Amino acid sequence: MDRAHDLEHPGRRRPSRRVGPALVVAAVLTLAGCSGGSPSTLDPGGTGAARIADLWWVLFWISAAVFAEVMVLLVWALVFRRGRDTRVRHGQPLRFVAIAGAGVPLVILVVVYALGLRDLAALGAGPGRDAPTIEVTGHKWWWEVRVPGIDGATANELHIPVGERVRVRLRTADVLHSFWVPQLMPKTDLIAGEMRETWLHAERAGTYRGQCAEYCGTQHAHMALQVIAEPRSQFEAWLARLAAPARQPTTEAERRGQQAFVQGSCAGCHAIRGTGADARVGPDLSDVGSRWSIGAGAVPNDAGHLGGWIVNPQTVKPGSYMPPQPVDAQRLPDLIAYLRSLE
Amino acid sequence: MSTTTAPSPGAGQEDLARLEAHWGERASLRSWFSTVDHKRIGRRYLVTASLFFVLAGTSALAMRTQLARPESNLLSPEEYNQLFTMHGTAMIFLFATPMLFGFGNYLVPLMIGSRDMAFPKLNAFGYWVFLFAGLFMWASLPFGAAPNGGWFAYVPLTDDRNTPGLHMDVYTLGLLFLGIATTAGSINFIVTALKLRAPGMSLNRVPLFVWAIVATAFMVIFALPALNLDNAMLFLDRRFGTHFFDPEAAGNVLLWQHLFWIFGHPDVYIIVMPALGIVSAVLPAFTRRGVVGYVLIVLAIVSIAIISFGVWVHHMFATGLPHLSYSFFSAASTIITIPSGIQIFAWLATMMLGRLVVRVPLLFLVGFIVTFVLGGLTGAMFALTAFDQQVTDSYFVVAHFHYVLIGGAVFPILAAIYYWLPKMTGRMYHEGLGKWAFWLFFTGMQVAFFPMHLSGLFGMPRRVYTYRDEPGWDVWNMVSTIGAYILAVGLLLVLIGVVHAIRRGRPAPPDPWCGDTLEWSTESPPRPYNFPVLPQVHSLHPTWDQPSRSSMAEDATPDRILADGRRTLFTSELDGRRERVVEMPEASLQPLLLALAMLVFFTAMLFAWYPFAVAAAVAVAVIIAWWLWPPRRPEEELGVAR
């Protein structure tokens, strides 16, 4: 398992997970090894999730010990205390009950509570004042991503510089959602009428899958996002792309596609920077060609799925707010070509 | 029905005949609708709640089938969302609490040595309301109009803008309607347990099951108003344009969550507590000793009932409230595990010091301990705000509360079914069939829910109708689905076992288990008047002590036979000293009529037929007045009651 180090507190030593190596390896294999490519909380990519993963292992071993204790007593009774002898017995070992049921748990719980407080405080510390800020707005059922001071927007994808804490401001346009990137940071709910703040920190470059974690209606299942952690220079390039107009069409087909977009129904809801289409009902599509998926995780982003989505999103993501589009069969390949070219 | 009546040595044939005349009910259609017998009502609660359990369980199987494979199209998202909402709502409101209230209704008067509940008509009324409210809610499903906002119904998703249609009106009105039944039942339990205990049953001789039911009833009375208020406000917001939860008009969406969880967390204990009472009631018979630490368990029950009102914010750890309040609620949530720990170790000590008789009810208790302890351990983890924020609303929490609720409620309920089946039906169940049912249910439960810990830790959020195969959640979802089917087969065997017992089971003796509480001193099934002679209680285990037993036989006195009417005894709240004889009400159609009028009212409100609603409200008022009208009685009869 690839473990993150706490870059910002290099002097602090984390509890080693290599105690009792054999058992640990076995547990890690079962728990993390089989997680496939999942966004596992036990495979943290940054400080926030790493803290929780460490806390989890402490809790796991304590729980395992308590469970083992209970099982030993239970099995002992089942093996050695069977009997046909039905005389009624008395005797009240209250001291045993008080110590095993209250005393020992109290000590454990106080320790665990202290650890929990420590991590709560750490997660609440937040990024510094001049940390980069990203604004995320939840919609049914996609994520709008903006950066303060920059006009452009993107959707279901946000970039952060590796090794830096990034402030994330969370708002919702409609119902409650919850922002969760399991490998980076625990959840923060998006509350209607209020603003919430969290932060992200990735120790390793890479993509981290996130998903809405508060039930938000029909397509709650398809409200995923990706966090791309990359070196500072690439992050700045992303900011520059966000500020710039979308790529201009270069082929004839793309040009026809752009025309179809701007003059057709698309522009009624979507924006593409530099084309005059600036509606904000649906996601800004200025960089749709380079996104990881269509429909916030509903299907992969390729020409076939894109065409299917445009013609009838309701078969791909039933309940989504985009109605089927009456696109001319001849125009569709052009439109696809144009949208795919927007990177 | 068993008629192997050996005339009680305490009450003569003449007394028995008179008791039968006053309490007995002829099997007729009218008596079916008018009965106020707590045993018939209790059985109805059990059967009706089981029916709702089957519906909610079938919903779960449909969902598990959908989730077995990634991107499956078996259910549409709308269907899936209605199913998971109805699954949760029905399991919590229409199965768990009514099922346990059913056992309470049947057993509390028997365990405390009374002839009925304190308010038999209110009891019948509560059942009819429960039945109608349950049907009211389930009837929406075939029309595709079932609630679809989750059992927790968070605003603003559930407001009229985001969820138009009847869905959430069914939810708010259904729960308000049902709340009447739960409140009525709770008041009845409290008064019954405080006033109708047999003489000599001082508070320190009250069976732990009764303690648990009474504590639960108090929790219901304090918790339910928050839910009712919430639902009333949501209904007003949706239907009449108020703005309690509308942030654009200075309403507050978190208000819903606070009120919901001020009810919702105590509700977890409202479900688990009576079930823990069942554990304490069943264990003595199969360990051949009283439960260790009676006083500690009573203290644990009372402290849970109180502390559970101070932990609700742990359901809101991700909403971004101030950290200071989080640290308080985190501490309270941590502390509340201690009373549960005390109970677990008291039961373990009971088993270690007793002699175990391994029959089906005990197997289910063992399954309870294994499962509930696992659920409790993950529960303690959720008390830690930071950890909670990571795994809440993921499958980890789904695993956690199924361990708590199946472990803490369904296992004890199944133990209770096998344990009290001989008492309720007069028939023994088939032991082999019961053991198969246990092993399948136990295995299915672990296989279905343990992997959810993993899929949750691997980042799978809950309440998703499908998922892409890419993240590697598919293996664990498939395993869970297989487990769910094994679990269902186990439950099917329980059902077959019950039907088999009723049809083919051998007749049950009055006390097949040598149990320690008073229900075992009645016939199986008990006569309509329960006890020919009301007992004089001398200990915590009355059927294990000779003086209490003989008080119902050779030491019977006429002042405890009371064969001159439908009578039972009032005793003092603390010491159980005899106070006076009370006259109990006769069978009546008023409870059914009142519940029907309320059903018309809520249905009219649902469809916005307001004139009908007004008419139904008037009918409700008239029936209540008729119900409360003082009976005409001759002077001398009134004098007897003193």
Side-chain angles (χ1 to χ4, degrees):
Chain A
M1 247 180 89
D2 191 14
R3 271 203 44 234
H5 292 266
D6 193 335
L7 278 187
E8 293 168 17
H9 307 280
R12 201 165 63 80
R13 285 172 60 186
R14 293 180 166 279
S16 169
R17 201 178 297 145
R18 281 159 194 80
V19 195
L23 278 173
V24 179
V25 169
V28 170
L29 279 181
T30 1
L31 286 170
C34 305
S35 65
S38 68
S40 171
T41 61
L42 305 182
D43 181 17
T47 319
R51 271 190 175 275
I52 309 296
D54 285 347
L55 181 61
W56 152 256
W57 286 109
V58 173
L59 298 173
F60 172 80
W61 288 113
I62 292 174
S63 301
V66 174
F67 186 66
E69 178 203 6
V70 172
M71 286 310 107
V72 165
L73 298 179
L74 187 63
V75 170
W76 185 86
L78 281 169
V79 172
F80 296 107
R81 282 292 174 174
R82 280 190 196 224
R84 294 271 112 209
D85 174 5
T86 55
R87 270 173 311 161
V88 171
R89 286 173 167 72
H90 296 285
Q92 297 283 341
L94 293 184
R95 192 180 298 171
F96 165 78
V97 175
I99 293 175
V104 175
L106 188 65
V107 174
I108 296 174
L109 288 171
V110 167
V111 172
V112 164
Y113 175 69
L115 290 176
L117 272 195
R118 180 199 67 180
D119 288 344
L120 178 63
L123 293 183
R129 190 174 296 178
D130 16 299
T133 300
I134 294 177
E135 291 180 345
V136 174
T137 305
H139 294 259
K140 291 191 291 187
W141 291 276
W142 57 283
W143 304 90
E144 178 185 349
V145 176
R146 291 178 175 270
V147 176
I150 297 181
D151 253 358
T154 184
N156 308 325
E157 188 172 298
L158 63 95
H159 294 237
I160 58 171
V162 170
E164 291 180 46
R165 289 194 181 201
V166 177
R167 178 183 296 108
V168 181
R169 290 204 176 120
L170 301 166
R171 288 189 187 83
T172 170
D174 36 54
V175 302
L176 307 189
H177 303 280
S178 190
F179 182 79
W180 187 32
V181 187
Q183 289 172 279
L184 297 182
M185 195 67 184
K187 295 169 200 72
T188 305
D189 291 352
L190 282 59
I191 308 292
E194 291 175 40
M195 205 245 319
R196 292 289 184 261
E197 221 175 85
T198 182
W199 52 271
L200 293 174
H201 167 267
E203 141 79 8
R204 293 181 268 142
T207 19
Y208 300 94
R209 191 175 195 276
Q211 190 162 350
C212 173
E214 185 67 85
Y215 175 64
C216 54
T218 318
Q219 279 296 342
H220 169 56
H222 290 130
M223 189 168 165
L225 81 162
Q226 257 187 6
V227 175
I228 295 151
E230 55 197 7
R232 180 86 204 182
S233 57
Q234 290 180 27
F235 170 70
E236 278 163 8
W238 177 69
L239 292 180
R241 281 203 305 282
L242 263 188
R247 183 181 170 280
Q248 284 301 312
T250 50
T251 68
E252 206 43 47
E254 288 169 16
R255 252 185 289 278
R256 285 195 302 268
Q258 185 185 44
Q259 205 178 4
F261 185 95
V262 178
Q263 290 165 3
S265 52
C266 310
C269 296
H270 295 282
I272 294 179
R273 292 190 293 282
T275 65
D278 59 356
R280 285 180 67 169
V281 179
D284 185 313
L285 298 179
S286 305
D287 59 354
V288 69
S290 62
R291 286 188 200 150
W292 64 286
S293 90
I294 304 169
V299 278
N301 189 2
D302 54 40
H305 283 105
L306 183 58
W309 174 269
I310 294 170
V311 174
N312 190 358
Q314 299 303 317
T315 56
V316 183
K317 192 171 175 178
S320 122
Y321 282 85
M322 178 166 162
Q325 296 303 307
V327 183
D328 193 341
Q330 288 159 336
R331 281 285 94 94
L332 187 60
D334 298 338
L335 193 55
I336 294 171
Y338 172 60
L339 291 173
R340 303 267 314 144
S341 77
L342 298 172
E343 294 191 333
Chain B
M1 293 276 126
S2 148
T3 48
T4 55
T5 319
S8 152
Q13 287 294 358
E14 199 185 321
D15 290 331
L16 290 180
R18 278 193 293 165
L19 280 170
E20 195 69 45
H22 286 298
W23 290 88
E25 288 174 339
R26 275 188 308 131
S28 69
L29 194 62
R30 189 192 157 90
S31 102
W32 202 86
F33 287 113
S34 68
T35 184
V36 294
D37 181 344
H38 74 97
K39 297 180 290 300
R40 286 178 89 176
I41 295 167
R43 284 203 309 264
R44 283 176 190 181
Y45 262 107
L46 297 179
V47 171
T48 312
S50 302
L51 179 77
F52 292 140
F53 178 74
V54 170
L55 291 175
T58 312
S59 312
L61 277 186
M63 290 189 287
R64 274 308 339 154
T65 314
Q66 158 80 4
L67 292 175
R69 302 289 311 136
E71 299 188 76
S72 153
N73 283 319
L74 188 77
L75 296 171
S76 74
E78 286 86 0
E79 287 163 348
Y80 186 92
N81 294 341
Q82 291 184 32
L83 284 178
F84 90 70
T85 302
M86 282 309 286
H87 170 74
T89 310
M91 284 294 189
I92 299 277
F93 293 105
L94 302 177
F95 163 65
T97 296
M99 190 79 185
L100 292 160
F101 270 33
F103 282 112
N105 257 304
Y106 194 96
L107 292 168
V108 165
L110 290 171
M111 282 187 168
I112 62 172
S114 158
R115 284 188 173 145
D116 206 330
M117 297 282 284
F119 306 117
K121 283 163 70 178
L122 188 67
N123 205 20
F125 167 70
Y127 169 74
W128 293 118
V129 169
F130 155 58
L131 174 70
F132 295 153
L135 295 176
F136 178 90
M137 295 184 84
W138 276 109
S140 62
L141 190 63
F143 300 101
N148 57 359
W151 87 281
F152 50 95
Y154 278 6
V155 291
L157 178 61
T158 48
D159 67 18
D160 53 333
R161 212 172 342 150
N162 288 294
T163 308
L166 292 182
H167 308 271
M168 294 319 294
D169 298 326
V170 172
Y171 174 93
T172 54
L173 292 174
L175 291 187
L176 283 168
F177 190 17
L178 180 69
I180 297 171
T182 321
T183 308
S186 299
I187 292 170
N188 214 345
F189 280 131
I190 293 171
V191 178
T192 305
L194 286 179
K195 291 307 297 178
L196 261 61
R197 301 198 306 273
M201 187 178 276
S202 46
L203 272 194
N204 57 340
R205 292 175 185 164
V206 172
L208 287 167
F209 177 75
V210 179
W211 270 107
I213 287 278
V214 171
T216 304
F218 272 107
M219 289 167 76
V220 167
I221 299 227
F222 284 97
L224 210 51
L227 180 71
N228 289 338
L229 177 62
D230 232 6
N231 276 318
M233 292 195 295
L234 181 56
F235 182 75
L236 290 174
D237 267 17
R238 289 176 58 83
R239 192 59 74 75
F240 298 108
T242 55
H243 301 286
F244 293 109
F245 303 122
D246 179 3
E248 280 164 30
N252 189 320
V253 293
L254 287 181
L255 174 64
W256 168 274
Q257 295 190 24
H258 280 293
L259 286 171
F260 187 84
W261 292 117
I262 285 172
F263 153 79
H265 201 83
D267 193 53
V268 174
Y269 291 96
I270 286 170
I271 291 168
V272 170
M273 190 108 83
L276 301 188
I278 287 176
V279 175
S280 294
V282 176
L283 206 52
F286 299 97
T287 54
R288 311 308 313 148
R289 56 158 297 129
V291 173
V292 167
Y294 174 86
V295 175
L296 286 180
I297 293 185
V298 170
L299 289 175
I301 289 173
V302 174
S303 49
I304 286 177
I306 295 166
I307 303 172
S308 71
F309 283 87
V311 299
W312 81 89
V313 170
H314 75 223
H315 296 269
M316 301 168 63
F317 275 166
T319 55
L321 297 178
H323 279 185
L324 186 64
S325 79
Y326 278 166
S327 56
F328 167 77
F329 283 98
S330 173
S333 309
T334 310
I335 281 300
I336 201 167
T337 52
I338 299 265
S340 301
I342 289 177
Q343 295 194 69
I344 290 283
F345 280 91
W347 294 318
L348 281 173
T350 310
M351 293 177 76
M352 292 192 297
L353 291 174
R355 282 284 182 279
L356 301 190
V357 184
V358 182
R359 301 290 300 271
V360 174
L362 184 73
L363 284 179
F364 277 103
L365 294 192
V366 171
F368 150 77
I369 292 183
V370 174
T371 313
F372 187 64
V373 166
L374 271 172
L377 288 167
T378 49
M381 298 179 187
F382 277 102
L384 306 181
T385 312
F387 184 74
D388 175 288
Q389 290 171 342
Q390 181 70 308
V391 288
T392 185
D393 280 322
S394 79
Y395 261 88
F396 192 88
V397 76
V398 179
H400 156 69
F401 69 74
H402 280 91
Y403 267 81
V404 169
L405 294 177
I406 295 184
V410 181
F411 272 100
I413 283 171
L414 292 172
I417 289 175
Y418 285 98
Y419 183 63
W420 281 297
L421 194 71
K423 180 55 58 191
M424 293 183 184
T425 64
R427 302 283 174 174
M428 296 303 290
Y429 63 85
H430 188 282
E431 190 75 20
L433 205 53
K435 286 193 169 148
W436 270 97
F438 166 76
W439 283 110
L440 282 168
F441 180 75
F442 181 78
T443 311
M445 152 75 210
Q446 310 299 332
V447 175
F449 293 103
F450 196 84
M452 291 186 188
H453 291 113
L454 303 181
S455 43
L457 285 171
F458 299 156
M460 180 164 173
R462 63 191 289 209
R463 299 168 184 139
V464 290
Y465 77 97
T466 191
Y467 54 95
R468 285 177 67 179
D469 56 352
E470 157 192 80
W473 299 330
D474 47 349
V475 185
W476 302 112
N477 275 285
M478 180 52 100
V479 173
S480 282
T481 302
I482 293 169
Y485 277 93
I486 300 175
L487 183 158
V489 174
L491 286 172
L492 190 64
L493 284 189
V494 173
L495 181 66
I496 292 173
V498 171
V499 174
H500 176 271
I502 293 172
R503 291 272 173 87
R504 302 269 173 83
R506 65 189 162 80
D511 184 8
W513 313 117
C514 301
D516 66 329
T517 34
L518 282 170
E519 77 271 25
W520 301 111
S521 65
T522 64
E523 281 176 44
S524 293
R527 308 301 306 163
Y529 44 84
N530 295 349
F531 300 90
V533 184
L534 293 173
Q536 173 77 42
V537 174
H538 294 270
S539 78
L540 180 57
H541 311 287
T543 41
W544 285 352
D545 90 70
Q546 191 53 47
S548 303
R549 274 209 311 266
S550 38
S551 76
M552 288 175 276
E554 59 267 27
D555 297 343
T557 50
D559 63 349
R560 285 185 286 111
I561 296 176
L562 308 174
D564 298 328
R566 278 173 88 94
R567 291 182 185 163
T568 194
L569 278 177
F570 257 22
T571 50
S572 66
E573 294 82 356
L574 299 181
D575 300 332
R577 271 197 313 273
R578 182 191 175 91
E579 281 182 347
R580 63 191 173 94
V581 176
V582 281
E583 197 77 22
M584 302 301 278
E586 306 271 339
S588 163
L589 284 174
Q590 286 163 347
L592 175 63
L593 293 177
L594 182 56
L596 274 173
M598 287 184 169
L599 176 63
V600 173
F601 173 78
F602 281 101
T603 311
M605 289 302 282
L606 178 68
F607 293 110
W609 303 330
Y610 299 119
F612 278 98
V614 172
V618 171
V620 166
V622 168
I623 297 171
I624 291 178
W626 174 34
W627 179 325
L628 295 177
W629 211 263
R632 258 174 202 289
R633 282 196 184 151
E635 294 281 314
E636 60 271 26
E637 193 185 328
L638 287 171
V640 172
R642 287 289 146 187

